[in-house]
């Protein structure tokens, strides 16, 4: 029997070289064609992948957000979407994006870090006005974590500078989270007695800090595992998570009378989504964070939701909150005055001071 | 046999070319960006960055702790190598494998492990602290971490040299009336010294650039326990690439100088031992 390739059919034997050649040519043509042609015909069906570059403690939050968003996006558009996550220190993550990590969206700890991405031309300068609430879909604040029974009776900021109280907080020079801690302390003291009082207060506070860890998770480890210090200054969501993970009966959360409104911002990375053609999905992903479903997930992960309804379902303790814009005139100013080299934090540790 | 115009070594031109190209690609190319980044600072700014009090304090700590750690490793590495070469004992294979562990472990892991052991509620720290010895979150902790990560270098460079030494030489020395101390000082030490120095230099260079293990155990207190790599990281945190590379260049220059000096010393000792 003759085959279509003109050879004799040899049952059970390997295809001949000529047959292989023709077959592979056909396959190659098919591959080229499918790559070039049908893209427009069924764009919705082609799966899309997003990369969310985030900071350390949001891992659990975004695992849940990603699953929920993929479901909702599939329902709305019929398109499969998978979201990859990358986590690390906020500043380190921003540098990775600056150095070419192809992030479709960034969800970082500080607007200052997203500003750096915008300054490099990867996003517009007004990125923070593109989404509601300063582009921060959920918030948190800075609270204290103390040991069970609160042996040093720590109730509010003045208790942290008492002699004999040991305070754990990471270095604001290396940790974005620690900058929120520092600014919360400064802002509280400045409201009371102005900048001079704040400077004095912060200086006394850091005198009580025996160890400056390089990151927030390291500081939590120092406090919880090594048993060092009487109080850990921490993000509320991290403090609540630590209590939840370690089981009640070991740690207590103390909410001070006033603290800073921590607004971790999110942004599309325009240059990347335009190049990859993922803008629609990336945009929808961030907007999803503002939906009732997204807000519910944030609240369940101990972030304060923006939505009043989610806030009613998950009540957070009352605390007077000030924003970085009110108290410091924005991140750029705060960073320059306090944390850049030669800034106030360095002066605290200058020789002879 | 062959072409008379060719050199004695076959393939010399080709292998030299490949060597230079490879070194250039892997070592010089990335390092040249250091120079380029640093050049973006003016001379005055550059000087201010590399001579700030905190930078000076960190050089002092990084250099002294690295030197100290390399010295400790030179002495005890020599001993461990000696024991591994000359003695048989149960579990020797395990000890041999343990030596390489600091190479394989991510340094952050070793840093966390060391901190757990030496902090005031760790099982070593608990014993040391009543004696007034504070290891974790002190300069001593930096020394301990750098000693840990540098451990394999001396052992692995000295081991083959000691293994090559013939026992006959020592026996001959003993027969000629040399005491044990003399045998060690006159016979063993000169032979093993160049390798020990190499190990010392490698451990030192490794310690200078170490970041991961130290940040956990040092406590990172400004002016006291900040190592230079940490200051470089804080510069990067401000998106100050030029300032970071300026500090890195200082480190690089210092370690190049020291490595060069150790190489010279090594050649001298080798010459004195009559092994050139």
């Amino acid at each position: 029997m003759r085959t279509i390739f003109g050879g004799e059919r040899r049952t059970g034997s390997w295809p001949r070289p000529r047959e292989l050649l023709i077959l592979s040519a056909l396959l190659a043509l098919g591959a080229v064609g499918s790559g070039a042609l049908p893209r427009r015909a069924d764009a919705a069906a082609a799966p899309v992948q997003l990369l969310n570059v985030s900071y350390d403690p949001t891992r659990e939050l975004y695992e849940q957000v990603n699953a929920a968003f993929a479901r909702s996006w599939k329902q709305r558009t019929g398109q499969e979407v998978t979201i990859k996550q990358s986590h690390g220190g906020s500043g380190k993550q921003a540098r990775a994006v600056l150095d070419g990590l192809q992030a479709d969206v960034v969800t970082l700890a500080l607007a200052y870090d997203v500003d750096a991405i915008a300054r490099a031309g990867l996003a517009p300068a007004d990125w923070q006005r593109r989404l509601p609430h300063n582009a921060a879909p959920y918030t948190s604040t800075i609270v204290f974590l103390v040991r069970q029974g609160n042996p040093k009776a720590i109730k509010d900021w003045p208790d942290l500078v008492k002699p004999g109280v040991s305070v754990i907080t990471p270095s604001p020079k290396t940790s974005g989270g620690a900058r929120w801690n520092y600014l919360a302390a400064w802002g509280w003291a400045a409201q009371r007695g102005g900048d001079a009082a704040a400077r004095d207060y912060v200086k006394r506070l850091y005198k009580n800090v025996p160890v400056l860890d390089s990151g927030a998770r390291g500081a939590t480890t120092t406090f919880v595992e090594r048993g060092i210090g009487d109080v850990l200054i921490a993000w509320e969501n991290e403090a609540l998570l630590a209590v939840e993970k370690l089981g009640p009966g070991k740690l207590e959360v103390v909410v001070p009378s006033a603290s800073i409104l921590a607004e971790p911002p999110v942004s599309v990375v325009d240059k990347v989504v335009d190049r990859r053609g993922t803008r629609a999905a990336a945009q929808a992903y961030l907007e999803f964070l503002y939906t009732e479903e997204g807000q519910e997930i944030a609240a369940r992960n101990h972030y304060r939701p923006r939505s009043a309804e989610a806030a009613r379902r998950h009540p957070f303790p009352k605390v007077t909150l000030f924003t970085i814009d009110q108290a410091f005139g924005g991140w750029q100013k705060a960073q320059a005055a306090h944390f850049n080299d030669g800034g106030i934090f360095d002066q605290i540790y200058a020789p002879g001071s | 046999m062959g072409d008379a115009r060719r050199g004695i070594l076959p393939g010399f031109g080709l292998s030299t070319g490949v060597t230079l190209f490879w070194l250039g690609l892997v070592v010089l190319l990335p390092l040249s960006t250091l120079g380029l980044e640093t050049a973006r600072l003016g001379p005055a700014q550059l000087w201010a960055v590399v001579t700030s009090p905190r930078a000076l304090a960190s050089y002092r700590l990084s250099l002294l702790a690295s030197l100290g750690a390399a010295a400790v490793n030179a002495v005890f590495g020599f001993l461990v190598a000696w024991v591994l070469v000359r003695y048989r004992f149960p579990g020797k294979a395990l000890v041999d494998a343990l030596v390489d562990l600091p190479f394989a472990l991510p340094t952050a892991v070793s840093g966390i492990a060391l901190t757990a052991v030496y902090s005031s509620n760790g099982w070593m720290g608990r014993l040391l602290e009543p004696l007034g010895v504070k290891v974790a979150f002190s300069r001593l902790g930096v020394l301990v971490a750098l000693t840990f990560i540098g451990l394999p270098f001396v052992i692995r460079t000295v081991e083959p040299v000691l293994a090559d030494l013939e026992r006959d030489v020592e026996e001959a020395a003993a027969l000629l009336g040399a005491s044990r101390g003399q045998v060690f000082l006159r016979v063993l030490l000169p032979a093993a010294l160049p390798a020990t120095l190499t190990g010392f230099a490698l451990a030192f260079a490794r310690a200078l650039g170490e970041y991961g293990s130290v940040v956990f155990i040092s406590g990172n207190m400004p002016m006291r326990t900040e190592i230079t790599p940490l200051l470089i990281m804080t510069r990067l945190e401000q998106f100050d690439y030029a300032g970071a590379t300026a500090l890195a260049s200082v480190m690089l220059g210092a370690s190049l100088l020291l490595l060069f000096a150790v190489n010279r010393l090594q050649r001298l000792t080798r010459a004195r031992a009559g092994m050139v």
Side-chain angles (χ1 to χ4, degrees):
Chain A
M1 182 190 165
R2 308 286 288 182
T3 67
I4 49 164
F5 296 121
E8 208 69 43
R9 180 189 286 279
R10 294 147 299 134
T11 40
S13 70
W14 294 97
R16 283 188 195 164
R18 195 168 60 148
E19 294 174 11
L20 271 180
L21 199 73
I22 296 169
L23 255 175
S24 49
L26 283 174
L27 279 175
L29 262 178
V32 169
S34 66
L37 292 174
R39 187 162 280 175
R40 202 169 305 144
D42 54 353
V48 62
Q49 197 175 59
L50 299 177
L51 175 61
N52 175 6
V53 171
S54 194
Y55 62 108
D56 262 333
T58 57
R59 196 179 310 269
E60 296 82 4
L61 166 70
Y62 278 107
E63 269 165 18
Q64 295 167 30
V65 167
N66 294 347
F69 172 70
R71 260 197 314 277
S72 117
W73 183 251
K74 173 94 181 168
Q75 258 172 24
R76 258 169 62 198
T77 66
Q79 188 181 30
E80 295 277 352
V81 57
T82 46
I83 298 125
K84 290 212 263 178
Q85 295 168 255
S86 159
H87 296 271
S90 186
K92 189 174 137 273
Q93 293 292 79
R95 283 196 303 282
V97 173
L98 286 178
D99 294 342
L101 180 63
Q102 296 292 303
D104 299 278
V105 300
V106 286
T107 54
L108 296 176
L110 320 172
Y112 178 72
D113 291 330
V114 186
D115 278 340
I117 290 168
R119 267 203 306 279
L122 296 170
D126 69 341
W127 63 270
Q128 210 162 7
R129 282 200 285 278
R130 292 192 297 183
L131 285 163
H133 302 295
N134 278 330
Y138 42 80
T139 68
S140 191
T141 186
I142 302 302
V143 300
F144 310 145
L145 197 61
V146 297
R147 302 192 191 285
Q148 184 64 28
N150 197 356
K152 294 275 168 104
I154 286 154
K155 294 270 181 290
D156 205 350
W157 291 104
D159 300 320
L160 302 191
V161 296
K162 282 183 182 159
V165 171
S166 163
V167 181
I168 303 297
T169 175
S171 166
K173 303 283 286 189
T174 50
S175 156
R179 271 171 249 171
W180 284 113
N181 295 354
Y182 172 104
L183 294 175
W186 181 283
W188 169 83
Q191 276 183 343
R192 299 273 176 117
D195 278 357
R199 194 188 178 102
D200 179 58
Y201 174 77
V202 167
K203 189 165 177 173
R204 281 163 57 204
L205 175 64
Y206 279 89
K207 277 233 159 70
N208 278 354
V209 177
V211 178
L212 284 169
D213 282 287
S214 59
R217 280 274 156 104
T220 310
T221 309
T222 300
F223 181 73
V224 175
E225 307 281 331
R226 315 253 182 278
I228 292 171
D230 303 308
V231 52
L232 173 78
I233 309 182
W235 287 55
E236 185 180 49
N237 57 297
E238 280 277 85
L240 289 168
L241 192 70
V243 171
E244 188 185 287
K245 285 253 162 91
L246 289 160
K250 282 191 176 162
L251 302 165
E252 286 176 22
V253 175
V254 173
V255 181
S257 61
S259 191
I260 198 162
L261 179 69
E263 297 180 290
V266 301
S267 177
V268 163
V269 182
D270 295 61
K271 217 168 187 176
V272 174
V273 293
D274 288 342
R275 205 185 51 72
R276 297 190 59 224
T278 50
R279 184 180 278 275
Q283 185 74 30
Y285 177 62
L286 294 186
E287 280 161 4
F288 178 79
L289 295 168
Y290 289 88
T291 63
E292 227 19 76
E293 197 182 356
Q295 292 285 295
E296 170 67 23
I297 295 172
R300 267 205 312 259
N301 282 279
H302 311 302
Y303 286 93
R304 294 184 177 224
R306 296 284 193 181
S307 133
E309 266 177 58
R312 246 195 315 280
R313 282 193 301 272
H314 301 269
F316 283 82
K318 284 238 172 347
V319 48
T320 314
L321 294 170
F322 50 88
T323 69
I324 190 158
D325 291 343
Q326 291 161 3
F328 300 91
W331 260 111
Q332 294 298 331
K333 275 191 182 163
Q335 173 76 31
H338 293 272
F339 309 122
N340 277 357
D341 277 32
I344 295 170
F345 182 76
D346 282 357
Q347 290 161 27
I348 287 174
Y349 281 103
S353 77
Chain B
M1 285 190 37
D3 195 326
R5 281 169 304 173
R6 284 205 188 145
I8 286 177
L9 295 172
F12 177 70
L14 182 66
S15 54
T16 313
V18 168
T19 304
L20 290 181
F21 172 74
W22 186 244
L23 275 179
L25 190 73
V26 174
V27 179
L28 285 182
L29 188 71
L31 288 185
S32 66
T33 58
L34 268 187
L36 284 179
E37 277 289 341
T38 312
R40 299 201 333 219
L41 290 174
Q45 243 181 321
L46 181 70
W47 185 249
V49 167
V50 301
T51 60
S52 74
R54 271 175 80 182
L56 293 177
S58 80
Y59 302 147
R60 202 152 44 233
L61 176 64
S62 273
L63 281 174
L64 289 180
S66 299
L67 276 173
V72 169
N73 277 326
V75 174
F76 288 93
F78 188 94
L79 270 178
V80 174
W82 177 256
V83 168
L84 284 178
V85 167
R86 282 298 161 93
Y87 300 98
R88 286 177 182 211
F89 51 90
K92 182 175 166 182
L94 187 70
V95 172
D96 206 41
L98 275 180
V99 167
D100 286 327
L101 214 55
F103 271 155
L105 220 56
T107 53
V109 174
S110 35
I112 291 172
L114 286 172
T115 315
V117 168
Y118 285 107
S119 72
S120 49
N121 65 356
W123 57 266
M124 281 286 274
R126 199 174 320 173
L127 302 176
L128 289 172
E129 215 130 295
L131 308 174
V133 183
K134 196 166 147 45
V135 180
F137 315 122
S138 73
R139 288 171 183 167
L140 186 57
V142 178
L143 184 79
V144 168
L146 295 181
T147 306
F148 177 83
I149 54 125
L151 171 78
F153 288 98
V154 176
I155 300 175
R156 290 303 182 223
T157 44
V158 174
E159 230 182 343
V161 177
L162 289 182
D164 274 355
L165 274 184
E166 298 288 339
R167 222 167 246 255
D168 313 358
V169 185
E170 283 167 65
E171 280 165 7
L175 282 176
L176 290 170
S179 71
R180 292 202 146 215
Q182 278 172 321
V183 171
F184 178 78
L185 277 178
R186 301 279 174 110
V187 179
L188 291 177
L189 201 58
L193 198 57
T196 313
L197 277 175
T198 308
F200 172 86
L202 288 174
F204 171 75
R206 175 79 183 80
L208 262 190
E210 175 57 19
Y211 174 74
S213 60
V214 181
V215 287
F216 291 102
I217 203 168
S218 74
N220 306 322
M221 299 308 282
M223 305 299 298
R224 286 197 288 130
T225 59
E226 272 184 340
I227 50 166
T228 312
L230 181 81
L231 281 195
I232 295 175
M233 289 303 289
T234 70
R235 290 273 169 180
L236 289 176
E237 203 65 26
Q238 301 163 38
F239 303 101
D240 178 6
Y241 288 75
T245 49
L247 289 173
S249 309
V250 171
M251 295 280 288
L252 199 67
S255 51
L256 261 182
L257 271 179
L258 274 150
L259 287 178
F260 188 70
V262 170
N263 266 340
R264 280 303 292 257
L265 200 63
Q266 214 181 328
R267 217 166 301 151
L268 283 177
T269 42
R270 213 174 265 159
R272 262 191 43 199
M275 292 173 65
V276 177

